[in-house]
C-alpha cells in the first residue's frame, strides 16, 4: 500500500466515537495547559503519559500528540492577552500579538495565530510523511560510531542553540548524561552511583525527572514570581481572514520549512523554531518597521514556525529514537513504555506506524482549528484562575504522574529533587533542554560508545574515519567551536578582512 | 515568564550580552560546584570495579562512560570558573549585577511552597488516603496564600475547602477508577 493509502487507512481507523471523544478532550486539555502560564507542553505530555498508561498504544500516543499540538498552540492565547507566553515556545508571539491586542485587535491576532499554527502543523505533518521514510532508510546505515556522534551532537547542538549561554548548556547536557548513568549498567549489572541504595540501583526514571524539572520547578518559579493580570478583555472576531493567509503565503511556507528543520535537529524545540522563523521573516520583510509593534506577518511567522516544529520534532523520534524537543522526549519515553520501538528499524518492522502518526497529527491539527475558532471566552476565564488555586492542583498531579509508572514512592522523591535542581539551574540561567536531552540520550551514548570501543579494540579511529561518523564528528566539533566567542570573533574578522581585500 | 523585548530577536544566535549575565560571583560559585562535582564523578568512576578478573571485556568496565562525562564536566566547570573570573567575579562587588529580578518576586512565597510540598510528600502521602491528603494540601495551600489579601475570610475558607475536596476526589476518581492508574 502507498503512503497515501496507509494515511487514509489510519484516519479511517480513528473515526470511532471513543477515539473522537479522546481527541477532543485531549486537544482541549492541551490548549488549556498551553494557555496557562506556568504549565508547559512538556509537563502536559509527561502528566498525561501517566493517564494513558493503561490504554492501548494507538490511543495513548494519539492523546499525547493531541496534548502536544494543543499545548504549543494554546501558549499563544496568554502571549496575546497577557503579554506572557503560556509556554516558552510562545515567547516570540508576545512581540506582535500583545501590541495587536492593545490596539483592540486581540481577536484578529488570535485568528492569525490559529491560521498560522494550523498551517504550520499541517506543513510539518506533510514533512513527516515525506521525510521519515527517507531518513529512516538513511538511518539504517548507522552503526555504533554514528549513533555515538548523533547523541553527542544532540547534546552539543542543544547546548549551543537552546538560548543564551552555550557553556551552561553544555554543562546541563553533560550533567543530564551523567544522571542517566545512575543505576545498573548493561554489561555487568553493576549499580553505578547507587551507594548501596536499592532504589538508586534501579535508576532514575525519565518521567519523574521530567515532571520534576518542568512541573515542580515551574510551580516554584510561578509562585516566586509576580502575579499576572489579563489586560485585554474585549475581543473582536477570531475568524481568520483569508486575506491574511494569502498575503503571507511566502512567510507561511518559509516558517513552516524552518520550523520543521529546527524540529528535526535534536533537542532544540519550538521556542527556537519560533524565534528563527520570526528573525527570517523580519529579514525578508518589506515592512520591518512594524515588527514588534503589532506586525501580522511577524505573528504569523512565529506561530507557523513553532507549530511546524511539533511534527518536525517527531521525525527524529521515529527514525532515530532521538527527540527533536523536550515534549518529544516525553513522547519518545511514552512510545517506549507502550512497547512501540521507534528507531531505524521502524520503517522495516512497522512502516504503517509513520502514517498513523501523520494521521494523528492531522486529526489533532483539525481539532485545534475547531477550538481556535470556538473556544475564546472560556479560555479567557481560565486565564483568570489565580495561581494560588492552580499551582497546588498542578503539584498534586505532578506527584501522581511521578508515582504512577512504577508505583515507587522513591520516584516522588526523584521528582522533588529534580524540581529543586531544575529551579536552581533556571535561576542560574542554565538551559533545561540540553539536560533533558542528556537524560534521554544517555543510554544511547553509553551503549554505543562501549560497543564502538569493543568493536575497534579500543581504537578511536573509526569514530572519525568512517564517512558518516566522520561527517557527524565534524559537524559536532564545528558546532562546539562556533559557540566559543573567540572563535566566532576570529571567523567574523577573517571574513570581513577577505571581503575588504 | 518575563516580558520579551523586540531586540532579543536579533541577538538570539549571538553570544550573551553583559546585561543578560548573572553576577559573575554567582557563576564563580556555580563553576566551582560543577568542577567539584566533575572531580567526584571521576573519583567514583575510578572506584568502580572493572570485572577484568572475572573475564569481563576491557571496554565494558562500568566506570568508563561516567568517568568520561566526569572529565568533561570538570573541564566545563573550570571554564565557567575562569570565565567568571574574567568577567569580574573577584571585584569587591562580585562583578556586574545583570538583569534585576521582576518586581513582586518573593523568596518567602518560594520557601512556603517548598515547605508545603515537602509536608505533602513526606507527611501526608502514604499516611492518609490519597484523596484526603490531596484535599488537605490544596485547601491549606490556598488558605495560606490567599488569607492575607482576602476581603471575606469566611468565603475564602469555603472556597479553599471546596477546591481542595473537588481536586482530591476528582483526581482520585479520574486516575484510579477511570484510567486504572495506581495512586500513592
Amino acid at each position: 500500500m502507498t503512503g497515501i493509502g496507509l494515511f487514509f487507512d489510519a484516519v479511517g481507523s480513528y473515526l470511532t466515537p471513543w477515539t473522537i471523544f479522546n481527541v477532543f478532550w485531549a486537544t482541549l486539555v492541551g490548549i488549556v495547559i498551553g494557555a496557562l502560564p506556568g504549565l508547559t507542553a512538556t509537563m502536559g505530555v509527561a502528566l498525561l503519559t501517566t493517564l494513558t498508561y493503561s490504554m492501548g498504544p494507538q490511543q495513548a500516543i494519539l492523546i499525547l500528540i493531541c496534548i502536544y499540538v494543543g499545548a504549543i498552540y494554546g501558549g499563544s492565547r496568554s502571549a496575546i492577552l497577557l503579554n506572557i507566553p503560556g509556554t516558552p515556545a510562545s515567547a516570540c508571539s508576545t512581540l506582535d500579538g500583545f501590541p495587536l491586542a492593545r490596539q483592540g485587535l486581540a481577536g484578529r491576532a488570535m485568528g492569525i495565530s490559529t491560521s498560522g499554527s494550523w498551517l504550520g502543523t499541517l506543513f510539518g505533518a506533510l514533512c513527516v510523511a515525506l521525510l521519515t521514510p527517507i531518513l529512516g532508510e538513511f538511518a539504517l546505515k548507522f552503526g555504533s560510531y554514528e549513533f555515538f556522534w548523533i547523541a553527542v551532537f544532540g547534546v552539543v547542538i542543544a547546548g549551543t542553540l537552546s538560548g543564551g549561554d552555550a557553556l551552561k548548556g553544555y554543562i546541563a547536557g553533560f550533567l543530564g548524561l551523567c544522571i542517566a548513568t545512575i543505576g545498573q549498567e548493561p554489561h555487568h549489572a553493576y549499580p553505578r552511583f547507587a551507594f548501596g541504595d536499592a532504589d538508586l540501583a534501579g535508576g532514575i526514571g525519565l518521567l519523574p525527572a521530567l515532571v520534576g524539572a518542568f512541573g515542580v520547578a515551574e510551580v516554584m518559579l510561578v509562585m516566586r514570581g509576580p502575579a499576572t493580570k489579563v489586560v485585554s478583555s474585549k475581543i473582536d472576531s477570531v475568524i481568520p481572514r483569508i486575506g491574511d493567509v494569502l498575503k503571507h503565503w511566502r512567510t507561511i511556507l518559509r516558517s513552516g520549512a524552518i520550523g520543521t528543520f529546527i524540529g528535526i535537529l535534536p533537542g532544540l524545540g519550538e521556542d527556537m523554531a519560533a524565534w528563527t522563523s520570526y528573525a527570517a521573516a523580519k529579514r525578508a520583510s518589506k515592512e520591518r518597521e512594524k515588527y514588534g509593534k503589532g506586525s501580522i506577518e511577524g505573528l504569523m511567522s512565529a506561530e507557523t514556525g513553532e507549530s511546524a516544529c511539533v511534527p518536525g520534532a517527531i521525525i527524529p523520534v521515529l527514525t532515530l529514537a532521538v527527540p527533536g524537543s523536550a515534549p518529544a522526549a516525553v513522547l519518545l519515553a511514552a512510545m517506549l513504555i507502550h512497547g512501540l520501538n521507534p528507531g531505524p528499524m521502524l520503517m522495516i518492522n512497522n512502516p504503517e506506524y509513520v502514517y498513523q502518526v501523520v494521521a494523528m497529527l492531522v486529526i489533532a491539527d483539525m481539532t485545534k482549528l475547531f477550538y481556535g475558532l470556538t473556544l475564546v471566552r472560556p479560555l479567557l476565564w481560565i486565564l483568570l484562575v489565580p495561581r494560588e488555586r492552580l499551582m497546588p492542583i498542578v503539584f498534586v498531579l505532578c506527584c501522581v504522574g511521578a508515582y504512577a509508572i512504577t508505583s515507587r514512592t522513591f520516584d516522588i522523591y526523584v521528582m522533588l529533587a529534580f524540581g529543586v535542581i531544575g529551579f536552581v539551574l533556571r535561576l542560574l540561567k542554565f538551559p533545561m533542554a540540553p539536560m533533558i536531552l542528556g537524560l534521554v540520550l544517555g543510554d544511547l551514548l553509553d551503549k554505543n560508545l562501549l560497543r564502538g570501543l569493543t568493536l575497534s579494540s579500543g581504537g578511536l579511529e573509526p569514530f572519525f574515519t568512517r564517512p558518516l561518523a566522520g561527517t557527524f564528528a565534524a559537524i559536532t566539533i564545528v558546532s562546539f567551536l562556533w559557540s566559543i566567542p573567540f572563535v566566532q570573533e576570529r571567523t567574523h574578522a577573517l571574513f570581513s578582512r577577505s571581503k575588504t581585500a | 515568564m518575563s516580558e520579551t523585548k523586540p531586540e532579543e530577536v536579533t541577538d538570539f544566535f549571538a553570544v550573551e550580552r553583559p546585561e543578560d549575565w548573572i553576577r559573575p560571583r554567582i557563576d564563580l560559585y556555580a563553576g566551582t560546584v560543577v568542577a567539584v562535582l566533575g572531580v567526584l564523578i571521576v573519583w567514583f568512576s575510578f572506584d568502580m570495579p572493572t570485572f577484568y578478573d572475572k573475564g569481563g571485556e576491557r571496554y565494558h568496565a562500568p566506570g568508563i562512560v561516567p568517568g568520561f562525562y566526569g572529565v568533561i564536566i570538570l573541564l566545563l566547570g573550570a571554564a565557567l570558573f575562569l570565565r567568571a573570573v574574567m568577567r569580574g567575579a573577584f571585584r569587591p562587588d562580585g562583578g556586574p549585577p545583570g538583569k534585576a529580578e521582576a518586581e513582586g518576586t518573593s523568596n518567602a512565597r518560594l520557601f512556603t511552597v517548598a515547605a508545603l510540598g515537602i509536608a505533602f510528600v513526606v507527611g501526608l502521602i502514604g499516611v492518609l488516603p490519597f484523596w484526603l491528603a490531596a484535599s488537605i494540601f490544596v485547601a491549606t495551600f490556598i488558605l495560606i496564600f490567599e488569607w492575607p489579601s482576602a476581603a471575606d475570610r469566611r468565603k475564602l475558607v469555603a472556597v479553599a475547602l471546596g477546591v481542595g475536596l473537588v481536586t482530591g476526589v476528582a483526581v482520585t476518581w479520574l486516575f484510579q477508577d477511570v484510567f486504572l492508574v495506581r495512586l500513592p
Side-chain angles (χ1 to χ4, degrees):
Chain A
M1 204 185 276
T2 61
I4 293 174
L6 288 169
F7 168 74
F8 281 110
D9 215 27
V11 171
S13 71
Y14 295 137
L15 294 179
T16 64
W18 176 240
T19 310
I20 292 170
F21 170 71
N22 281 337
V23 165
F24 270 84
W25 73 254
T27 312
L28 179 61
V29 169
I31 292 173
V32 171
I33 286 174
L36 289 168
L39 306 189
T40 61
T42 312
M43 187 210 283
V45 181
L47 288 178
L48 266 291
T49 299
T50 310
L51 204 69
T52 57
Y53 186 49
S54 59
M55 292 181 172
Q58 294 290 337
Q59 291 292 322
I61 301 304
L62 173 65
I63 286 172
L64 296 180
I65 285 180
C66 288
I67 298 274
Y68 186 5
V69 168
I72 294 300
Y73 165 67
S76 64
R77 294 294 154 126
S78 44
I80 290 166
L81 296 172
L82 300 176
N83 197 26
I84 290 176
T87 60
S90 306
C92 193
S93 301
T94 58
L95 298 185
D96 290 299
F98 186 65
L100 280 168
R102 288 181 81 167
Q103 292 162 26
L105 296 171
R108 189 172 180 200
M110 283 192 264
I112 293 160
S113 149
T114 303
S115 51
S117 176
W118 178 64
L119 289 167
T121 305
L122 214 55
F123 183 92
L126 183 70
C127 291
V128 175
L130 295 176
L131 296 180
T132 307
I134 300 166
L135 286 176
E137 202 166 316
F138 183 61
L140 284 172
K141 294 176 184 158
F142 292 3
S144 299
Y145 308 104
E146 286 78 18
F147 274 113
F148 166 79
W149 280 115
I150 289 273
V152 178
F153 172 70
V155 173
V156 168
I157 199 80
T160 309
L161 296 179
S162 58
D165 193 340
L167 179 56
K168 288 183 177 175
Y170 299 146
I171 292 174
F174 276 92
L175 283 177
L177 285 171
C178 206
I179 291 166
T181 64
I182 295 174
Q184 292 184 335
E185 47 83 43
H187 300 290
H188 305 286
Y190 175 77
R192 293 189 288 210
F193 303 116
F195 308 107
D197 185 276
D199 284 319
L200 272 176
I204 301 289
L206 182 62
L207 272 180
L210 284 171
V211 168
F214 286 91
V216 176
E218 215 48 69
V219 169
M220 292 163 84
L221 281 167
V222 169
M223 289 307 295
R224 181 174 178 263
T228 56
K229 285 184 185 124
V230 176
V231 289
S232 175
S233 58
K234 282 183 190 168
I235 295 174
D236 52 321
S237 170
V238 295
I239 307 292
R241 299 179 187 184
I242 302 292
D244 285 342
V245 176
L246 292 178
K247 189 179 171 194
H248 301 297
W249 67 271
R250 274 199 193 91
T251 306
I252 292 169
L253 280 182
R254 188 194 310 111
S255 304
I258 291 173
T260 310
F261 176 70
I262 298 276
I264 293 172
L265 295 177
L268 295 188
E270 294 77 17
D271 48 345
M272 177 71 180
W275 287 110
T276 314
S277 304
Y278 188 85
K282 189 176 178 184
R283 218 170 289 135
S285 178
K286 287 175 188 159
E287 38 190 41
R288 283 183 208 182
E289 68 289 348
K290 285 189 186 169
Y291 276 67
K293 295 170 191 158
S295 163
I296 288 172
E297 190 181 45
L299 181 60
M300 184 76 90
S301 66
E303 287 294 319
T304 310
E306 68 174 45
S307 295
C309 181
V310 174
I314 295 176
I315 294 175
V317 168
L318 294 174
T319 52
L320 298 168
V322 170
S325 67
V330 193
L331 197 66
L332 171 63
M335 285 183 181
L336 295 171
I337 287 168
H338 284 284
L340 301 161
N341 285 316
M345 291 307 287
L346 187 76
M347 283 310 292
I348 304 286
N349 297 332
N350 199 3
E352 65 276 11
Y353 189 66
V354 172
Y355 299 98
Q356 288 168 3
V357 170
V358 175
M360 291 176 194
L361 283 163
V362 172
I363 289 169
D365 199 33
M366 293 300 171
T367 317
K368 174 178 81 181
L369 178 67
F370 168 77
Y371 281 127
L373 300 178
T374 56
L375 196 78
V376 178
R377 287 271 157 213
L379 259 183
L380 199 62
W381 300 330
I382 289 165
L383 289 178
L384 295 171
V385 175
R387 59 181 174 167
E388 290 80 7
R389 296 182 193 177
L390 189 67
M391 289 302 135
I393 301 173
V394 172
F395 190 82
V396 168
L397 291 175
C398 286
C399 291
V400 173
Y403 179 84
I405 301 294
T406 55
S407 301
R408 292 193 304 174
T409 309
F410 171 74
D411 282 335
I412 302 183
Y413 299 137
V414 168
M415 173 205 80
L416 273 186
F418 271 82
V420 174
I421 292 170
F423 173 77
V424 172
L425 288 183
R426 267 185 250 192
L427 274 193
L428 296 175
K429 301 218 170 170
F430 283 82
M432 290 305 292
M435 187 172 186
I436 295 307
L437 205 70
L439 261 170
V440 175
L441 296 179
D443 187 50
L444 188 78
L445 201 158
D446 194 342
K447 278 180 187 157
N448 286 294
L449 174 62
L450 295 185
R451 201 177 291 154
L453 283 173
T454 307
L455 286 172
S456 62
S457 308
L460 292 176
E461 300 84 23
F463 285 95
F464 298 96
T465 52
R466 282 166 61 106
L468 279 174
T471 309
F472 288 136
I475 296 171
T476 308
I477 292 165
V478 169
S479 305
F480 170 72
L481 290 175
W482 184 250
S483 71
I484 301 172
F486 172 77
V487 177
Q488 270 189 33
E489 283 160 20
R490 284 279 157 184
T491 316
H492 280 307
L494 193 72
F495 278 103
S496 52
R497 214 176 298 152
S498 54
K499 260 185 192 172
T500 323
Chain B
M1 292 293 295
S2 59
E3 292 188 10
T4 323
K5 293 191 181 90
E7 58 266 28
E8 283 179 29
V9 180
T10 47
D11 279 352
F12 193 71
F13 286 99
V15 181
E16 273 194 307
R17 297 165 300 180
E19 59 268 32
D20 289 334
W21 297 353
I22 58 169
R23 197 182 282 278
R25 179 77 56 84
I26 298 172
D27 266 352
L28 185 88
Y29 297 143
T32 310
V33 171
V34 171
V36 169
L37 196 64
V39 171
L40 287 174
I41 293 166
V42 173
W43 176 273
F44 286 122
S45 303
F46 262 115
D47 216 29
M48 289 177 194
T50 58
F51 294 100
Y52 298 158
D53 52 333
K54 294 187 175 79
E57 274 271 359
R58 194 174 167 198
Y59 301 104
H60 286 175
I64 290 181
V65 175
F68 166 64
Y69 297 154
V71 170
I72 292 178
I73 289 170
L74 166 63
L75 293 174
L76 291 171
L80 184 59
F81 182 95
L82 285 175
R83 195 184 69 178
V85 172
M86 285 161 69
R87 285 180 175 180
F90 284 129
R91 273 173 27 187
D93 61 352
K99 262 186 193 165
E101 290 209 282
E103 206 177 309
T105 301
S106 159
N107 283 330
R109 270 205 306 268
L110 170 73
F111 290 122
T112 312
V113 170
L116 282 170
I118 291 169
F120 176 55
V121 170
V122 179
L124 294 179
I125 288 183
V127 177
L128 297 174
F130 187 77
W131 70 268
L132 184 59
S135 302
I136 293 172
F137 170 71
V138 173
T140 314
F141 196 103
I142 294 171
L143 281 174
I144 287 178
F145 282 104
E146 292 195 24
W147 190 264
S149 58
D152 183 348
R153 289 186 169 160
R154 207 176 289 173
K155 190 181 162 194
L156 174 68
V157 172
V159 168
L161 290 176
V163 174
L165 201 63
V166 168
T167 305
V169 173
V171 168
T172 307
W173 173 74
L174 190 69
F175 280 81
Q176 195 165 271
D177 300 328
V178 177
F179 289 101
L180 309 175
V181 171
R182 267 175 193 255
L183 290 179

